[in-house]
Amino acid sequence: MTPRPTSRNPSDEPAPEVTPPQPEPAGPTGTPETAEAARAAEATEAAEAVETAKAAKKTGPLRPGKPPRLTKAPKSARPTKTSESALPAEATESAGSTGSAGSTGSAGSTGAAKAPAGPRGKKVAKTAKSAKPTGTAKTPGTAKPKRTGATKPTGTASPFGVGQAAKSPKLPKSPRTPDPTTTTGATGTAAPPKPPKPAKTAEATAPSEPSPAVQDPATPQTTYTAPVLPGAGVPGGPVKADAPMAAGAGVSPVGPEDRSRLLAGTHHDPHGVLGAHRVAGGVAFRALRPYARSVTVIAGELRAELADDGDGFFSAVVPLRDVPADYRLHLVYDEATLEIPDVYAFLPALGEFDLHLIGEGRHERLWDALGARPMTHQGTEGTRFTVWAPNARGVRVVGNFNYWDGIGFPMRSLGGSGVWELFVPGVGAGELYKFQITRPDGSTTFRADPMARRTETPPANSSVVDVSRHEWRDEEWLRRRGDIPVHEAPFSVYEVHLPSWRPGLTYRQLAEQLPAYVADLGFTHVELMPVAEHPFGGSWGYQVTGFYAPTARLGTPDDFKHLVDALHQAGIGVLMDWVPAHFPRDDWALAQFDGLPLYEHQDPRRAAHPDWGTLEFDYGRKEVRNFLVANATYWCEEFHIDGLRVDAVASMLYLDYSREHGQWTPNEHGGRENLDAVAFLQEMNATVYRRCPGVVTIAEESTAWDGVTRATHEAGPGGDGGLGFGLKWNMGWMHDSLGYMAKEPVHRRYHHHEMTFSMVYAYSENYVLPISHDEVVHGKRSLVSKMPGDWWQQRANHRAYLAYMWAHPGKQLLFMGQEFAQGAEWSEGHGPDWWLLDPAYGAEAEHRGVRDLVRDLNTAYRAQPALWERDTDPAGFAWVLGDAAEDNVFAFLRFDAEGVPLLAVSHLAPVVRHEYRIGVPEEFAGWQEILNTDAARYGGSDVGNPSPLKPDPTPAQSRPASLLLTLPPLTTLWFRPT
């Protein structure tokens, strides 16, 4: 393994000891003759080295074993006589026989070579004497590197020499005037501008420091090309705290192991290798830029070209004291030139507290921590990419900004959190991206961001960086939406499949039509079938791949916000279907996201959903639970959604849901309840109600699970807390009542209990009565088509059933198209049959009459508190006639908080009944018919009752007074006291 350069701060290293000059010692016998003989031998040896250097001068660029040319020092800077043996190795000088540079020794005679002049005439200390008797010295920085693959340091050499671990020389300060000497490096020759007074050139016989080539920032721009030094990047010994860095310290190539991992996409800490790092010789810059012809570091006036280390790696050690606070990379490609900040110059943009919350599974605004978030980080604009992939061996981010080649954009792993992070400068809103994940088996997969806030339009599936610029104008709506609890307020819902309501309309176009239409019909809310991104339109949105992104089929997230805002300004609440029960197996989405089961359960029997071919979430994993809980609050906080209708709750609650014996494993208590799912639903509801006042959660739960709408902290009969939902779909009422209505009137007497049984459990939960999309597709027929009889009777049954539903305890939900008695099943391909309301159509008045009834139902409903104020209070309801099976009649009273009643009578036989006695309270002097589904304007026969009706003191159905009513055929009537 190649040793990696350390990141020590040079200012923290102790300065090398320098022994003060001492008198020249005597020879072995202590006589002057002995010392003179030694000096003569040394002079001869130096002269031979000079002749060798002259010959090398003619051979061109430096080669291994050839010393560099040095600038001759001016006389004023030449050193005085000093004994060689009295100086430390890093400061010694080959003295002449007399000890004077100008007496008996010269460049061409027997004297030693003169020391080069340092900046401002200061003396530059030479390195330890290492010249061989032949005069040839090994010179640092002259070995040619291999240009392919990694450069492997050899031996124990320092950046300043090879073959030995010599002490680092005392380094000169960076010169204000660049050295005119041409420095030959790995990538070519850089010729800095000449100084005002160039010095003469002298041949050197001893190795010296590399020529300084990095200028002071105050001087004109100078290019520095890093020479390739054998052993470059290996720490070369202590650097004195106040000493300047050496110029031309060399390259610092990525070691073989790091190189291999980076190229394979399995490196967990690319920032520890790439970018800028302090090393003994200065600052090492390393970049991984495949296909680049050259990479140059630019920091202020500094330009340092990096050496090409092969495989897309570039490096250099630049003699700087510290890593520049702001440097850029100048990249030259065959067809482009870029100048950008270094991706690996940035600290993590995700805080420790975020990681702590993610680790605990308690980050309630997870979308602020994970995903793609444009931001300004360390003064630079860009996008922070983060993803949770704990099983990945490595993660890269790919996108338009890197031509979908992620080799140069590996992400770092943030400790044991399982989160990978990378801040990419210059990337902003609108950029496409994915994560390239190296799985545990070494294979790679490209995945859409689970936290993406915007996506491409299907079938394309890339994630999109998004920034919201929508300015909300629904403050008044949000302020008052929580004034009255939902279960005590009017709540009638129009269910909509946005892509097919008016096919072809975008979110913004829908905002111009949908609010006006819904407000005209008097609904209090719309419920949107799933708007989260999904790959297959035929799933209607119930197989979600982008849990944090509105579908791009209709526009951008801001466009969807505009629609919600428009509905709020029209006084209409917005509910949306939310699908935390399962997700599809698409290989670019959540399934085995990082190579192993992650979002799905580890046990295949628990992971596979038996009905839909999808995967179930692992609710026992805290990070998965956090992903879903945060998603629930995300829609409410970011998109101002007023309620979540949670899909397929029953499939979550039971381990044996749609599974045969042997296909499921009991829980720890031996039961069939999915305790992890129960805990998740409780946490989700508690979090949403705490964070988002006025929001309601609604369960689509089709079993008799106890406490679906009971608070999580309130224990039920079994001692367990409730699931915490606000409302629950009454699936039993829906199936029973539709089953009754589908019978011929002559047979309904035998199914009378199907209409009355709902009151046995009506107050066990807070209910919504749904006629949803599920009841008008896949061969179930539309609502009006379920009704028996001819066309007139079908419409009459349809109208009577809707009025019965609006009067029954509970809230109401009606799917689009049923408000005007569409005869065909709903299809997501073409939506409602709006042509039925075209005046040119012959039966238009009949369909319009049903829609007029729905409008009047909602108007009367809102005006009568008895129909909604005590929906969850048994004292708000009383049967008047619940056993008239032979007559197909149902009659009951609803009471508001003040005790004021409303009488609802449904006659579901195709005959007229005159003077039909119905018992009523005696304290009211008269009753008024406020709604009659047989009215002519709705398309009925217009049989009714005059107003006011005076009660008869004759008791009936245990009431002290009674009314004699005319009951039209297949009709529901509403009466209120005058």
Side-chain angles (χ1 to χ4, degrees):
M1 176 177 176
T2 304
R4 186 184 299 175
T6 60
S7 299
R8 296 176 297 179
N9 186 341
S11 63
D12 296 335
E13 298 290 349
E17 279 187 15
V18 180
T19 306
Q22 301 293 330
E24 182 176 339
T29 61
T31 63
E33 289 80 10
T34 303
E36 185 65 26
R39 284 193 294 271
E42 184 175 350
T44 302
E45 184 178 288
E48 292 174 356
V50 169
E51 294 301 319
T52 302
K54 286 182 177 180
K57 180 179 179 183
K58 301 177 182 181
T59 63
L62 297 176
R63 294 188 298 275
K66 300 293 182 178
R69 296 187 302 168
L70 300 178
T71 303
K72 183 177 181 180
K75 292 183 178 181
S76 60
R78 295 178 185 176
T80 57
K81 178 180 178 181
T82 305
S83 173
E84 176 184 352
S85 61
L87 294 177
E90 64 269 26
T92 56
E93 176 182 1
S94 296
S97 60
T98 62
S100 172
S103 58
T104 62
S106 67
S109 63
T110 61
K114 289 131 179 115
R120 297 186 180 179
K122 292 184 180 179
K123 178 174 67 176
V124 180
K126 292 194 292 185
T127 57
K129 175 181 176 181
S130 60
K132 291 184 179 180
T134 60
T136 303
K138 289 186 178 181
T139 309
T142 58
K144 287 186 178 180
K146 294 180 180 181
R147 298 301 302 276
T148 59
T151 303
K152 184 176 181 180
T154 58
T156 58
S158 77
F160 303 98
V162 295
Q164 60 180 351
K167 290 184 179 180
S168 302
K170 186 174 181 180
L171 304 176
K173 294 182 179 179
S174 300
R176 294 188 178 275
T177 302
D179 193 321
T181 305
T182 298
T183 303
T184 303
T187 60
T189 302
K194 294 182 179 180
K197 294 181 180 181
K200 292 181 180 180
T201 303
E203 303 301 330
T205 61
S208 66
E209 298 164 13
S211 302
V214 179
Q215 65 201 34
D216 189 280
T219 63
Q221 182 167 287
T222 303
T223 300
Y224 163 80
T225 302
V228 181
L229 301 180
V234 180
V239 179
K240 188 174 181 181
D242 59 352
M245 294 300 170
V251 296
S252 181
V254 175
E257 181 178 351
D258 287 326
R259 174 187 287 252
S260 175
R261 291 170 62 194
L262 286 168
L263 293 177
T266 60
H267 207 294
H268 73 286
D269 185 23
H271 292 72
V273 179
L274 304 175
H277 303 272
R278 285 184 295 185
V279 296
V283 175
F285 292 91
R286 305 185 194 98
L288 175 54
R289 287 288 172 171
Y291 315 115
R293 293 173 57 190
S294 66
V295 179
T296 303
V297 172
I298 299 176
E301 298 299 323
L302 167 68
R303 293 180 65 90
E305 184 173 351
L306 308 188
D308 186 346
D309 300 328
D311 294 329
F313 289 91
F314 297 81
S315 72
V317 176
V318 180
L320 301 173
R321 290 182 179 275
D322 293 298
V323 174
D326 181 19
Y327 71 91
R328 301 174 70 82
L329 298 180
H330 183 81
L331 309 174
V332 177
Y333 293 92
D334 288 337
E335 298 180 356
T337 299
L338 305 175
E339 186 174 309
I340 60 175
D342 186 359
V343 174
Y344 298 94
F346 296 90
L347 297 172
L350 189 63
E352 290 295 329
F353 188 57
D354 287 310
L355 293 175
H356 172 75
L357 293 177
I358 292 171
E360 287 194 336
R362 298 287 180 179
H363 204 306
E364 294 180 357
R365 289 184 61 89
L366 188 64
W367 63 94
D368 283 341
L370 298 182
R373 185 172 183 82
M375 62 193 312
T376 299
H377 181 47
Q378 295 178 209
T380 301
E381 292 185 357
T383 296
R384 181 197 66 200
F385 295 94
T386 45
V387 63
W388 179 61
N391 299 311
R393 293 178 60 189
V395 182
R396 297 161 169 166
V397 61
V398 298
N400 284 347
F401 51 88
N402 58 15
Y403 299 95
W404 299 95
D405 186 343
I407 191 171
F409 290 80
M411 303 174 73
R412 63 178 148 208
S413 175
L414 298 179
S417 65
V419 176
W420 300 77
E421 181 265 357
L422 185 67
F423 177 77
V424 182
V427 173
E431 290 281 0
L432 304 182
Y433 72 98
K434 279 188 176 181
F435 294 114
Q436 181 183 0
I437 296 175
T438 303
R439 295 179 278 212
D441 64 0
S443 62
T444 59
T445 178
F446 290 85
R447 297 290 172 137
D449 184 0
M451 303 291 298
R453 301 169 81 168
R454 183 181 171 189
T455 68
E456 278 190 293
T457 303
N461 52 46
S462 294
S463 304
V464 183
V465 179
D466 186 62
V467 176
S468 178
R469 294 180 174 84
H470 179 75
E471 296 182 4
W472 290 95
R473 296 179 176 85
D474 61 350
E475 297 83 2
E476 178 62 22
W477 169 267
L478 296 180
R479 184 188 62 79
R480 61 182 179 82
R481 73 177 178 184
D483 290 348
I484 303 176
V486 170
H487 63 280
E488 298 177 358
F491 193 89
S492 62
V493 182
Y494 183 62
E495 187 184 23
V496 178
H497 179 251
L498 285 177
S500 68
W501 185 73
R502 293 283 174 85
L505 297 188
T506 65
Y507 290 127
R508 291 188 178 271
Q509 291 168 333
L510 285 164
E512 297 174 359
Q513 299 186 33
L514 183 61
Y517 183 81
V518 176
D520 176 66
L521 291 181
F523 287 98
T524 65
H525 291 74
V526 294
E527 180 178 316
L528 308 178
M529 290 170 66
V531 297
E533 192 59 270
H534 50 282
F536 176 49
S539 74
W540 312 330
Y542 289 97
Q543 294 192 9
V544 179
T545 51
F547 281 81
Y548 284 78
T551 180
R553 292 170 174 87
L554 307 181
T556 69
D558 272 3
D559 293 338
F560 179 61
K561 290 180 179 180
H562 178 78
L563 171 60
V564 175
D565 208 346
L567 287 163
H568 283 171
Q569 292 178 57
I572 301 164
V574 181
L575 315 175
M576 62 168 278
D577 282 8
W578 185 54
V579 192
H582 61 121
F583 57 92
R585 297 174 180 264
D586 299 75
D587 60 6
W588 48 267
L590 297 184
Q592 293 199 348
F593 182 75
D594 57 5
L596 295 175
L598 186 65
Y599 289 91
E600 65 269 39
H601 203 279
Q602 304 284 331
D603 185 345
R605 293 176 299 176
R606 293 277 297 274
H609 198 293
D611 288 346
W612 303 310
T614 53
L615 296 170
E616 297 183 7
F617 283 101
D618 182 0
Y619 305 107
R621 188 163 192 165
K622 59 183 183 299
E623 296 92 346
V624 174
R625 193 166 59 244
N626 192 178
F627 172 81
L628 292 171
V629 171
N631 186 243
T633 60
Y634 168 77
W635 290 103
C636 298
E637 294 187 14
E638 293 292 323
F639 291 93
H640 293 195
I641 296 297
D642 303 296
L644 300 172
R645 177 266 195 184
V646 183
D647 183 67
V649 171
S651 73
M652 302 165 63
L653 291 175
Y654 297 97
L655 296 170
D656 63 344
Y657 184 87
S658 289
R659 293 178 173 90
E660 301 297 331
H661 179 72
Q663 296 179 339
W664 62 281
T665 304
N667 63 31
E668 60 193 59
H669 304 297
R672 65 191 187 108
E673 298 81 11
N674 188 337
L675 302 180
D676 292 334
V678 171
F680 155 68
L681 291 171
Q682 290 176 327
E683 180 182 347
M684 181 276 297
N685 282 311
T687 304
V688 168
Y689 278 105
R690 172 171 49 82
R691 293 185 63 92
C692 310
V695 167
V696 62
T697 59
I698 307 166
E700 185 211 17
E701 205 284 310
S702 56
T703 73
W705 184 280
D706 177 59
V708 172
T709 58
R710 189 170 63 242
T712 58
H713 62 277
E714 294 181 4
D720 299 322
L723 295 182
F725 285 94
L727 297 169
K728 172 184 173 178
W729 273 20
N730 194 334
M731 310 293 283
W733 173 88
M734 178 189 68
H735 289 297
D736 290 346
S737 62
L738 289 177
Y740 175 89
M741 295 299 299
K743 303 293 190 297
E744 291 287 346
V746 69
H747 300 302
R748 285 175 177 170
R749 70 183 70 181
Y750 306 110
H751 300 273
H752 195 78
H753 65 283
E754 293 180 12
M755 294 291 272
T756 60
F757 180 68
S758 62
M759 292 312 303
V760 173
Y761 59 87
Y763 299 101
S764 61
E765 303 282 2
N766 304 334
Y767 283 115
V768 175
L769 311 179
I771 301 299
S772 72
H773 63 277
D774 279 328
E775 306 314 310
V776 296
V777 291
H778 299 327
K780 295 180 182 179
R781 298 174 294 173
S782 68
L783 182 57
V784 71
S785 297
K786 295 177 190 291
M787 305 302 170
D790 58 21
W791 175 234
W792 188 95
Q793 290 182 351
Q794 284 182 312
R795 288 185 292 110
N797 275 299
H798 182 99
R799 296 191 303 266
Y801 180 73
L802 290 179
Y804 169 81
M805 170 183 170
W806 253 253
H808 191 284
K811 312 306 181 182
Q812 300 79 37
L813 179 141
L814 187 65
F815 183 61
M816 64 183 192
Q818 313 316 301
E819 77 274 16
F820 56 84
Q822 172 176 314
E825 284 188 351
W826 168 67
S827 167
E828 77 276 2
H830 63 260
D833 292 333
W834 296 108
W835 56 270
L836 296 173
L837 299 173
D838 188 339
Y841 175 59
E844 177 267 343
E846 299 168 2
H847 293 281
R848 189 173 298 277
V850 176
R851 191 173 70 171
D852 290 343
L853 170 66
V854 171
R855 180 187 298 107
D856 291 349
L857 282 173
N858 279 322
T859 301
Y861 170 74
R862 288 194 183 200
Q864 303 300 318
L867 292 175
W868 44 264
E869 202 167 37
R870 301 172 77 178
D871 262 333
T872 60
D873 182 359
F877 176 89
W879 277 113
V880 175
L881 195 59
D883 57 356
E886 294 297 323
D887 299 331
N888 297 350
V889 173
F890 305 89
F892 52 82
L893 292 167
R894 299 290 307 278
F895 300 93
D896 65 15
E898 303 298 326
V900 178
L902 179 139
L903 174 64
V905 181
S906 293
H907 176 224
L908 300 176
V911 297
V912 178
R913 300 189 189 275
H914 298 280
E915 296 186 349
Y916 197 90
R917 191 172 295 277
I918 299 291
V920 293
E922 63 179 346
E923 59 267 30
F924 301 102
W927 293 77
Q928 179 182 0
E929 183 183 277
I930 62 172
L931 185 107
N932 181 345
T933 63
D934 191 50
R937 65 181 180 276
Y938 305 142
S941 59
D942 211 22
V943 175
N945 295 272
S947 295
L949 292 171
K950 300 224 179 260
D952 190 324
T954 304
Q957 295 96 36
S958 302
R959 302 285 174 182
S962 58
L963 296 174
L964 290 177
L965 302 177
T966 297
L967 302 183
L970 303 174
T971 302
T972 294
L973 308 169
W974 290 358
F975 301 90
R976 68 179 179 188
T978 58

